[in-house]
Amino acid sequence: METGNGRSGGAGGRGGGMGRTAALTGVRALVLAVAVPAGAITLFVLSVVSIVLVPLGIGLFTTPWVLAGVRTFADLRRLAAARWCGVRIPAVYRRVPADANPWERCFRVLGDPGTWRDLRWLPVDMTAGFVTALLPAALLVYPFEGFALGAGLWRVFTDGTYVGWWYGFVPVGGQLSALAAAALGAVLLWAGVRTAPFLLRAHFLLTRAVLAPGRGELAERVRVLTETRRDAVDTSAAELRRIERDLHDGAQARLVSMGLDLGTVEALLEKDPEQARELLARARRSSAEALTELRDLVRGIHPPVLAERGLGDAVRALALRLPIRTQVDVDLAARPTAPVESAAYFAVSEVLTNAVKHSGADRIWVDLRHSPDRGGVLRIAVTDNGRGGAVIGAGSGLSGVERRLGTFDGVLAVGSPADGPTMVTMEIPCELS
């Protein structure tokens, strides 16, 4: 008896889980089916027009911005592919110097093979990509029309004396044919529940077939890793120089001044005790200020709360110091490795700083979670309700975040329409310890 109940419950649980998965897949496919033609067609037309205008000079300024939009559109699809179906699509692009002039920026972007992969992908996405996104949604939504016909909707189209509607290949002209339509809908729904996740995965596999680098991927990957390693070395060297400068100009200078004051106190202790007490008080203030500066310096290198409490609490502490109301949601079962924690913390710090300075927002949401997919991925989303318009490149702080994440093979995507909101999504492959 108990065994039978357990099996029944297990079967019901599996059926319910399959139904929930299919429903979620249908919603995602429907979102893609709406977004694909709108985004792909618009960006393809803008890209063609902008590139055509390059010889006239106008395209020199518009092309990098339009192609940045294409890249963001592709990056969002990469994130959806990884998050929804576990399909990882590598993003391999060449860096453009932040101080490049419009001519150099335009032709560097146009000379990037990754740009042309994105442009080739747009026509595929607006045709075959649209079909492969629409099909799983249609298989899950279309059956309900058959059910409605079987429940009596057929009377709206006919009085039973002629065929008033076709459902698939079933001519509906009365209650009997309407029930046949409902039976066909049940078959289609069963097929949709079974096949929708695979059809959605097929959409992302098609996307990967076009967007992923070809035979030169290994050489390109080595080049990208070489660049990110060089960026990491340059960043570390710059950080060391900053630390040396802060120590020399701040704490070290105060400690030297405090030593001189104490030497003077020693000489004045018997001759002028009053002045000696004043110098001792000044030395005490200098020691307190030096200690504060050293603490700030250490916090800038590796915040103590990050070392002691982990990434979630460190980001919460960071949010408490912001002048904007910030909500932080954390779902981490354990801690990432220390280098990943540090990179993620400073990346979030930079994104929050950008939001405070430039977005004009009054609310920020931070979401941190870890997914076990593909060996483990740390996902961080920072959303604000500001004015939008954030882009990667053009000397923005997001370029530094992208380089920081690139050291760990991470991905940065930015969705920021003109009127907001802005959503910055970061992914870093890692395992929790």
Side-chain angles (χ1 to χ4, degrees):
M1 191 70 175
E2 292 177 1
T3 304
N5 288 338
R7 287 178 181 173
S8 176
R14 286 193 297 272
M18 185 178 294
R20 286 191 295 271
T21 300
L24 183 59
T25 300
V27 172
R28 289 170 172 173
L30 193 60
V31 170
L32 282 174
V34 173
V36 161
I41 294 174
T42 301
L43 289 170
F44 184 74
V45 171
L46 289 175
S47 299
V48 171
V49 172
S50 186
I51 293 172
V52 168
L53 292 176
V54 167
L56 300 179
I58 301 174
L60 292 175
F61 299 93
T62 60
T63 298
W65 293 99
V66 172
L67 295 181
V70 174
R71 184 175 299 185
T72 300
F73 187 64
D75 284 341
L76 291 174
R77 193 67 56 85
R78 290 184 177 97
L79 286 175
R83 183 170 297 179
W84 293 350
C85 292
V87 177
R88 186 162 179 82
I89 306 172
V92 181
Y93 298 101
R94 295 177 180 175
R95 285 187 52 218
V96 178
D99 57 349
N101 58 48
W103 177 275
E104 183 183 6
R105 181 177 298 276
C106 178
F107 284 96
R108 275 182 178 268
V109 172
L110 288 176
D112 188 348
T115 297
W116 294 102
R117 281 195 298 269
D118 291 349
L119 292 176
R120 286 195 301 269
W121 166 66
L122 290 177
V124 176
D125 194 46
M126 70 180 70
T127 52
F130 171 70
V131 173
T132 54
L134 182 63
L135 188 56
L139 281 175
L140 293 170
V141 174
Y142 187 53
F144 292 95
E145 181 184 336
F147 300 153
L149 290 169
L153 184 65
W154 64 272
R155 292 184 177 88
V156 176
F157 305 106
T158 178
D159 58 3
T161 60
Y162 63 94
V163 175
W165 191 258
W166 283 79
Y167 179 74
F169 54 82
V170 176
V172 180
Q175 184 62 53
L176 187 62
S177 57
L179 291 175
L184 176 59
V187 172
L188 291 176
L189 183 60
W190 178 86
V193 169
R194 293 283 179 175
T195 63
F198 302 100
L199 293 173
L200 185 62
R201 183 177 175 83
H203 168 84
F204 291 121
L205 290 175
L206 172 67
T207 302
R208 183 173 68 180
V210 182
L211 277 182
R215 289 177 299 177
E217 178 180 356
L218 181 59
E220 186 71 8
R221 186 69 184 142
V222 169
R223 185 192 61 78
V224 171
L225 289 175
T226 301
E227 285 189 359
T228 56
R229 184 184 63 182
R230 185 173 61 246
D231 289 339
V233 171
D234 292 344
T235 301
S236 298
E239 187 70 9
L240 284 174
R241 288 192 296 270
R242 182 187 69 81
I243 293 170
E244 291 173 354
R245 184 176 61 251
D246 289 347
L247 283 173
H248 182 272
D249 297 341
Q252 179 179 323
R254 293 190 185 278
L255 290 173
V256 170
S257 174
M258 186 176 64
L260 293 174
D261 287 343
L262 290 175
T264 306
V265 167
E266 188 177 12
L268 293 174
L269 197 57
E270 296 182 358
K271 297 179 182 179
D272 192 347
E274 187 65 29
Q275 187 176 0
R277 279 194 295 271
E278 292 179 5
L279 290 175
L280 280 173
R282 190 168 69 181
R284 186 174 62 252
R285 288 194 299 270
S286 295
S287 68
E289 291 170 355
L291 183 59
T292 300
E293 290 182 355
L294 286 172
R295 285 174 176 168
D296 292 340
L297 185 62
V298 170
R299 187 179 294 113
I301 299 171
H302 194 78
V305 66
L306 180 62
E308 297 169 4
R309 303 288 298 275
L311 180 60
D313 286 339
V315 173
R316 290 190 182 101
L318 190 65
L320 289 174
R321 297 197 296 269
L322 296 179
I324 297 176
R325 184 180 175 189
T326 303
Q327 177 180 331
V328 179
D329 295 317
V330 180
D331 184 10
L332 298 176
R335 296 180 61 170
T337 59
V340 171
E341 267 196 337
S342 180
Y345 173 83
F346 286 109
V348 172
S349 177
E350 182 66 33
V351 173
L352 290 176
T353 300
N354 280 354
V356 170
K357 288 183 178 178
H358 307 299
S359 70
D362 57 18
R363 284 293 302 275
I364 300 176
W365 296 265
V366 183
D367 183 77
L368 293 92
R369 60 191 62 250
H370 184 269
S371 170
D373 299 342
R374 308 182 317 278
V377 177
L378 176 65
R379 295 192 175 102
I380 307 170
V382 180
T383 308
D384 68 65
N385 63 350
R387 65 177 65 94
V391 294
I392 302 173
S396 71
L398 294 176
S399 299
V401 174
E402 187 177 41
R403 290 195 297 271
R404 185 185 294 274
L405 298 181
T407 307
F408 298 89
D409 203 19
V411 178
L412 174 70
V414 179
S416 185
D419 295 325
T422 295
M423 182 174 182
V424 179
T425 306
M426 296 165 275
E427 285 195 352
I428 307 175
C430 72
E431 294 182 354
L432 299 182
S433 57

